[in-house]
mmCIF file of all heavy atoms in Angstrom:
data_model
loop_
_atom_site.group_PDB
_atom_site.id
_atom_site.type_symbol
_atom_site.label_atom_id
_atom_site.label_comp_id
_atom_site.label_asym_id
_atom_site.label_seq_id
_atom_site.Cartn_x
_atom_site.Cartn_y
_atom_site.Cartn_z
ATOM 1 N N GLU A 156 11.912 -6.918 -2.900
ATOM 2 C CA GLU A 156 11.539 -5.895 -3.874
ATOM 3 C C GLU A 156 10.754 -6.509 -5.027
ATOM 4 O O GLU A 156 11.066 -7.595 -5.514
ATOM 5 C CB GLU A 156 12.789 -5.211 -4.421
ATOM 6 C CG GLU A 156 12.498 -4.132 -5.457
ATOM 7 C CD GLU A 156 13.737 -3.483 -6.012
ATOM 8 O OE1 GLU A 156 14.813 -3.698 -5.428
ATOM 9 O OE2 GLU A 156 13.616 -2.781 -7.029
ATOM 10 N N GLY A 165 -6.799 7.229 -18.581
ATOM 11 C CA GLY A 165 -6.177 8.552 -18.647
ATOM 12 C C GLY A 165 -7.076 9.683 -18.189
ATOM 13 O O GLY A 165 -7.233 10.676 -18.908
ATOM 14 N N ARG A 167 -7.717 12.284 -14.789
ATOM 15 C CA ARG A 167 -7.031 12.697 -13.560
ATOM 16 C C ARG A 167 -7.653 12.071 -12.316
ATOM 17 O O ARG A 167 -6.960 11.767 -11.350
ATOM 18 C CB ARG A 167 -7.058 14.225 -13.430
ATOM 19 C CG ARG A 167 -6.152 14.949 -14.408
ATOM 20 C CD ARG A 167 -4.693 14.542 -14.254
ATOM 21 N NE ARG A 167 -4.121 14.980 -13.014
ATOM 22 C CZ ARG A 167 -3.313 16.030 -12.866
ATOM 23 N NH1 ARG A 167 -3.017 16.770 -13.915
ATOM 24 N NH2 ARG A 167 -2.808 16.340 -11.689
ATOM 25 N N PRO A 197 3.356 12.772 -18.049
ATOM 26 C CA PRO A 197 3.932 13.868 -17.242
ATOM 27 C C PRO A 197 3.792 13.635 -15.742
ATOM 28 O O PRO A 197 4.689 13.998 -14.962
ATOM 29 C CB PRO A 197 3.113 15.093 -17.691
ATOM 30 C CG PRO A 197 2.554 14.736 -19.018
ATOM 31 C CD PRO A 197 2.301 13.257 -18.962
ATOM 32 N N ALA A 289 -10.022 1.059 -6.676
ATOM 33 C CA ALA A 289 -11.305 1.720 -6.915
ATOM 34 C C ALA A 289 -11.160 3.200 -6.608
ATOM 35 O O ALA A 289 -11.121 3.609 -5.444
ATOM 36 C CB ALA A 289 -12.407 1.095 -6.053
ATOM 37 N N ASP A 297 -19.824 -7.929 -4.897
ATOM 38 C CA ASP A 297 -20.921 -8.897 -4.859
ATOM 39 C C ASP A 297 -21.711 -8.664 -3.580
ATOM 40 O O ASP A 297 -21.646 -9.447 -2.635
ATOM 41 C CB ASP A 297 -20.348 -10.313 -4.917
ATOM 42 C CG ASP A 297 -21.434 -11.359 -5.072
ATOM 43 O OD1 ASP A 297 -22.517 -10.997 -5.562
ATOM 44 O OD2 ASP A 297 -21.195 -12.525 -4.702
ATOM 45 N N ARG A 320 -34.322 -6.591 -5.607
ATOM 46 C CA ARG A 320 -34.372 -5.503 -6.587
ATOM 47 C C ARG A 320 -32.962 -5.101 -7.013
ATOM 48 O O ARG A 320 -32.681 -4.919 -8.212
ATOM 49 C CB ARG A 320 -35.088 -4.302 -5.969
ATOM 50 C CG ARG A 320 -35.116 -3.055 -6.839
ATOM 51 C CD ARG A 320 -35.285 -1.802 -5.996
ATOM 52 N NE ARG A 320 -34.161 -1.598 -5.089
ATOM 53 C CZ ARG A 320 -34.090 -0.611 -4.185
ATOM 54 N NH1 ARG A 320 -35.109 0.218 -4.065
ATOM 55 N NH2 ARG A 320 -33.030 -0.476 -3.421
ATOM 56 N N LEU A 328 -28.177 -4.321 -15.603
ATOM 57 C CA LEU A 328 -27.212 -3.288 -15.963
ATOM 58 C C LEU A 328 -26.023 -3.877 -16.701
ATOM 59 O O LEU A 328 -25.613 -3.384 -17.760
ATOM 60 C CB LEU A 328 -26.758 -2.565 -14.692
ATOM 61 C CG LEU A 328 -25.697 -1.487 -14.846
ATOM 62 C CD1 LEU A 328 -26.282 -0.282 -15.556
ATOM 63 C CD2 LEU A 328 -25.160 -1.068 -13.481
ATOM 64 N N LEU A 337 -18.691 -6.071 -22.429
ATOM 65 C CA LEU A 337 -18.681 -7.507 -22.183
ATOM 66 C C LEU A 337 -18.362 -8.287 -23.456
ATOM 67 O O LEU A 337 -17.655 -9.297 -23.421
ATOM 68 C CB LEU A 337 -20.043 -7.941 -21.630
ATOM 69 C CG LEU A 337 -20.483 -7.274 -20.322
ATOM 70 C CD1 LEU A 337 -21.857 -7.773 -19.911
ATOM 71 C CD2 LEU A 337 -19.471 -7.524 -19.209
ATOM 72 N N ARG A 407 -23.319 24.162 10.764
ATOM 73 C CA ARG A 407 -24.380 23.715 9.863
ATOM 74 C C ARG A 407 -23.973 22.400 9.183
ATOM 75 O O ARG A 407 -22.782 22.115 9.048
ATOM 76 C CB ARG A 407 -24.657 24.784 8.804
ATOM 77 C CG ARG A 407 -25.334 26.040 9.341
ATOM 78 C CD ARG A 407 -25.495 27.080 8.241
ATOM 79 N NE ARG A 407 -24.191 27.571 7.771
ATOM 80 C CZ ARG A 407 -24.031 28.391 6.751
ATOM 81 N NH1 ARG A 407 -25.082 28.821 6.083
ATOM 82 N NH2 ARG A 407 -22.825 28.798 6.405
#
Side-chain angles (χ1 to χ4, degrees):
E156 180 181 347
R167 288 301 292 258
D297 188 23
R320 175 204 63 184
L328 177 70
L337 301 179
R407 290 177 294 174

